[in-house]
Amino acid sequence: MFQAPRGTQDVLPEDQPYLAAIEATIRRLSDLYGYRRMDTPIFESTSLYVRGIGEGTDVVDKEMYSFEDKGGDSLTLRPEYTAGIMRAYLEHGMHTRPQPVKVYSIGPIFRYERPQAGRFRQHTQVNVEAIGEADPALDAEVMALAAQLYRSLGFQGLSFQVNSIGCPVCRPGYVHGLVEYYEQHRQAICPDCQRRLARNPLRLLDCKEDRCQPVIEAAPRMEEALCPACSRHFALVLSYLDRLGLSYVLNHRLVRGLDYYTRTVFEVWAGGIGAQNAVGGGGRYDGLAEALGGPATPGVGFASGVERIVMLMRQQNLPVATPPEPPILVATQGDEAKAVGVSLVSAWREQGVGALLAFGERSLRAQLRQANRAGNRYVVIIGAEELANGVVAVRDMASGEQESVPLAGVVEALGARVRTPQETDD
Ligand code: HAM
């Protein structure tokens, strides 16, 4: 038997209401905040991600699903949205539109990671980007949108972790100091950090190994090294968050896993989604456009893993609306009755009334059981006797009452009844 590839998941019909709730919420909030939907290809040039996300990141070094297509081009399945959205912004000259260009997306993301609870090789992201504006109020807006997304879905107990990682003016000096400091503690740190020291020193700060913790705690802090412009930007972002009443934790170790970030970075943490506790993350990326060969263009954005949101929704028993069962089921006995049933359900559906036909050759009793289990409100029964008399029997499954209705008028009569809200007994 085949199985879904490791790290992938099927989203069965009963899981879909969660996705629908998340999609409906992001769509509603995007309208409120003025974000428009935008879609980019599921694969892009490999070099887009190498240049955008950066060599030395786990995503580029280890996790990309890259392949050569039949024309010999190296392509990569989307490992995140931001680089592709920025590529499209530049390609379509979107700088000529009113700035910032504010967009959201939702779709599959691919990363070759070691699968575990909450970590998959294919996951789904809700992603928002606001490109073309450096105003710190925009950083706060993106974070407010993230907060409202989670709040609207009913979450409690999430924590916003916030930091500033500076810019090309102040960060190199900080990283230099960090490397010097780490050189003195080389023997105390884990093998991964030895590698990070050479490849991606900022990532030293979010090592989870026990033995590295004291070294991290005593390490120099970025906030003390921020240049005046970054310092002012960060202070303004925090003042807006305060004004919005959005509580956050200043986390000087928060550095994120993608190289394009400048200034503001943030993550939203939650308990109970496995070893990964970030349900969402984002930040500002004022250097990304230039890294892709475009003109200097600031931007800020955020993404959240849909599967992680769903895990949390289940854990916190958050309600989701399930789609309604069609109110009518037509149960028939014999070929002639089945033919009448085929026409009846079709007539209701054409009128916008949900109706099911019971298939197969089961007894009427079995067909009624089906309706009872599924929760169809009315069962329309067509047996030999009904056919002979030109009627159908309509059973109200809520009250158990059954009445005889002329076949010629049943589409109208029952259609009208299910269109008006019914009182239910429960
Ligand atoms: P990221 O932190 O790499 O950021 O991913 C965003 C979110 O996607 C994570 O917080 C997590 O919920 C989810 N996620 C990531 N990897 C996995 C995985 N293997 N399995 C399940 N869920 C996962 C970005 O991708 C940035 N592009 C976000 C951004 C947008 N920054 C600015 N704009």
Side-chain angles (χ1 to χ4, degrees), residues 59 79-83 109 111 113 118-125 127-129 150 256-258 260-261 267-268 273 276 278-285 300-309:
V59 171
E80 62 114 37
Y81 267 110
T82 313
I109 300 289
R111 295 183 187 177
E113 297 199 76
R119 193 159 80 190
F120 311 105
R121 290 183 175 170
Q122 177 181 337
H123 72 277
T124 313
Q125 280 187 4
N127 185 84
V128 306
E129 310 290 358
Y150 298 124
R256 309 274 300 137
L258 310 154
Y260 48 60
Y261 289 111
E267 284 186 356
V268 184
I273 43 174
Q276 274 58 51
V279 66
R284 183 162 276 290
Y285 46 87
V300 56
F302 158 80
S304 188
V306 167
E307 293 75 8
R308 290 188 192 177
I309 299 178

Side-chain angles (χ1 to χ4, degrees), residues 5 8 19 29 42 50 79 85 110 118 139 142 160 185 200 202 214 331 346 363-364 394 407 412 416:
T8 69
L19 293 191
L29 295 183
I42 284 187
V50 174
I85 299 281
F110 305 86
D139 308 36
V142 167
F160 266 77
H185 297 84
N200 202 342
L202 221 46
S346 165
S363 67
L364 281 176
V394 176
L407 175 60
E412 276 313 313

Side-chain angles (χ1 to χ4, degrees), residues 51-74:
R51 282 167 66 178
I53 299 170
E55 273 172 301
T57 60
D58 282 352
V59 171
V60 166
D61 286 3
K62 306 186 210 157
E63 298 173 358
M64 293 203 296
Y65 278 89
S66 300
F67 60 98
E68 199 173 285
D69 73 4
K70 298 206 187 309
D73 293 325
S74 179

